[in-house]
Amino acid sequence: MNLMGQAKRVSPHRATRNLGQHSQRTPCAPDFAALDPGCACCSLVGCQTRTIPDQRMRKIKAIRTNQEIRPDLKPGEGFPPNDENVEGVICTGDEYIVYETGDELPDSIKPKLRLLSEGLADDICLWRYMDFTKFYSLLSKRALYFPPGELLRSVEPYELRTPISLLQRMRKSADAVQNPPNARVDEFEWESSDERHHLEDIGILCWHVNNEENNALWKIYVGSGQGVAIRTTLGAIRKSLQYRRRTISGGLVEYIDYEYDTYVRIGSSSGYERIFHKAKFYEYEREFRMMYYFPDTLGKFKLHPETEALMDPIDLKMWKADAVVRREGFLQSVPFVPADLELLIHEVVVSPGSGSWFLQLVQSLVMEKISSAVTVRASKVDRWPDI
């Protein structure tokens, strides 16, 4: 295909699902928001005819076999390219176009926050409540922390659950050997390897939708200690995050009765239902939730029991000790998404009852780490309005 001179229009093509390692992460190309939906390395099918910009880009020839399209790779060459300067890849049907740092990206692969809920305006007001240590971490790292789903599930038993009606259907269709009739529903759910491993691949960040402070959330997330709430908007979040090589989705949480109800269909969030649903007794949270597909997985720091059984005891002990160190390094880096705090934070509110000394401390930190233009004020909860 000649990319010099006039741009070329490429015919649509088909590709089958679950081809190659990349397609096994649902629903689409978590590491490269870049991959085209028609590519055989992606889990979605049916790309659109598109115009390729007139640029000199790195190209990899595409091979068609049995209605499948695969990259023509040299021995030992990986795909997608893992070069530090690679921003994304598009499959045209004839070849793969590799976009690198400095290239003008097509709209289809420009990184952005993918909204799963319809009708969300950029000026919707969002709050995040946190203790002082988390606030200081935000200022120091200049990044938002997306707690791994597996950790969130382990500390909160009502998080990331599957409705009972769905579990019962899953049990009926499961093989009797793998799922004995007397197995408990919650055990069957949590021991499902697909569900468990899925939660090791994602980070989840929660915001409260409200125009004003919420005293209940002050008590839950800060308690009697010192903390803050940061106020922002959806538009500010979208502009402030640094999306490079990151796939981030966001949407409003749906609240259901987990005993009798089932998932509510949320736009194009197929496969994310567990993440964007919670029990009805959490409705007071009015949550906007963001999900970040990690470029790596916590699962690599674990061994399958059968693998452990085959290892030498000394080697196994050394592997586990090393895994603890590497896992900690993962948690200190991967779940953090860099953000422009000047764009992100509109206001910082100090928790009720914190005292003037704490207000002054937060004011000085915000001025030093962000900007004097960011408002810092005391909570209205324990202050009667001036007459």
Side-chain angles (χ1 to χ4, degrees), residues 149 153 158-162 189 199 204 274-275 289:
R153 174 68 174 81
Y158 287 99
E159 274 283 11
L160 308 173
R161 301 303 292 260
T162 302
E189 172 195 15
L199 297 181
I204 298 171
R274 170 188 284 247
I275 297 164
R289 179 165 280 193

Side-chain angles (χ1 to χ4, degrees), residues 66-367:
N66 298 325
Q67 294 186 332
E68 300 172 4
I69 301 177
R70 294 179 178 275
D72 184 12
L73 301 176
K74 299 177 182 178
E77 187 177 8
F79 190 86
N82 197 32
D83 303 8
E84 179 61 28
N85 64 330
V86 172
E87 298 287 349
V89 181
I90 276 185
C91 178
T92 68
D94 296 323
E95 56 194 353
Y96 293 84
I97 310 299
V98 180
Y99 290 85
E100 300 179 343
T101 303
D103 291 336
E104 182 181 348
L105 302 181
D107 289 340
S108 61
I109 65 172
K110 285 182 179 178
K112 56 189 175 183
L113 174 62
R114 175 178 174 237
L115 293 179
L116 305 178
S117 302
E118 297 179 357
L120 292 178
D122 274 353
D123 62 355
I124 183 174
C125 190
L126 301 173
W127 297 76
R128 181 156 176 80
Y129 295 78
M130 63 192 78
D131 60 31
F132 180 71
T133 57
K134 292 179 180 177
F135 178 62
Y136 190 80
S137 173
L138 170 65
L139 298 184
S140 300
K141 290 181 175 288
R142 301 187 70 81
L144 289 171
Y145 176 61
F146 286 69
E150 185 192 31
L151 297 184
L152 188 62
R153 174 68 174 81
S154 65
V155 299
E156 175 52 74
Y158 287 99
E159 274 283 11
L160 308 173
R161 301 303 292 260
T162 302
I164 298 298
S165 59
L166 289 183
L167 286 175
Q168 290 173 339
R169 275 188 283 171
M170 290 165 62
R171 292 184 66 193
K172 289 180 180 179
S173 61
D175 185 85
V177 175
Q178 297 178 348
N179 181 30
N182 61 352
R184 290 172 53 192
V185 170
D186 58 344
E187 289 178 347
F188 173 70
E189 172 195 15
W190 189 229
E191 291 304 321
S192 170
S193 59
D194 289 343
E195 294 289 355
R196 191 166 190 171
H197 292 165
H198 180 61
L199 297 181
E200 295 172 344
D201 299 340
I202 59 173
I204 298 171
L205 179 64
C206 310
W207 299 84
H208 172 61
V209 181
N210 207 332
N211 290 327
E212 300 293 339
E213 299 174 55
N214 187 307
N215 193 31
L217 297 189
W218 276 125
K219 294 179 178 179
I220 294 171
Y221 292 102
V222 178
S224 58
Q226 280 76 39
V228 305
I230 60 173
R231 181 178 64 81
T232 186
T233 63
L234 177 57
I237 291 176
R238 297 171 73 166
K239 293 177 182 177
S240 67
L241 292 182
Q242 297 179 20
Y243 299 100
R244 185 172 186 266
R245 287 197 177 190
R246 296 181 175 93
T247 297
I248 302 177
S249 303
L252 296 174
V253 169
E254 296 283 344
Y255 299 93
I256 63 173
D257 185 323
Y258 272 69
E259 185 173 2
Y260 301 106
D261 296 340
T262 188
Y263 291 135
V264 177
R265 177 70 177 171
I266 309 176
S268 58
S269 63
S270 178
Y272 300 156
E273 287 85 358
R274 170 188 284 247
I275 297 164
F276 288 93
H277 284 79
K278 295 185 74 170
K280 277 189 173 293
F281 41 76
Y282 285 114
E283 278 188 299
Y284 67 91
E285 292 181 342
R286 301 177 61 183
E287 187 175 332
F288 175 81
R289 179 165 280 193
M290 296 171 63
M291 183 191 72
Y292 164 36
Y293 252 114
F294 296 149
D296 210 337
T297 174
L298 274 171
K300 70 178 184 179
F301 305 115
K302 299 177 183 178
L303 288 175
H304 192 279
E306 294 180 359
T307 304
E308 288 193 16
L310 296 174
M311 291 183 67
D312 178 82
I314 296 178
D315 291 341
L316 177 60
K317 184 177 180 180
M318 293 178 61
W319 189 93
K320 287 187 174 181
D322 180 63
V324 169
V325 176
R326 291 187 294 116
R327 186 176 189 272
E328 184 61 27
F330 178 102
L331 293 175
Q332 291 300 319
S333 58
V334 174
F336 290 88
V337 176
D340 185 330
L341 300 186
E342 287 81 357
L343 294 176
L344 174 68
I345 300 177
H346 290 182
E347 184 179 50
V348 178
V349 181
V350 173
S351 57
S354 294
S356 59
W357 68 270
F358 185 66
L359 174 62
Q360 293 171 5
L361 172 63
V362 173
Q363 287 173 332
S364 63
L365 278 174
V366 169
M367 185 175 296

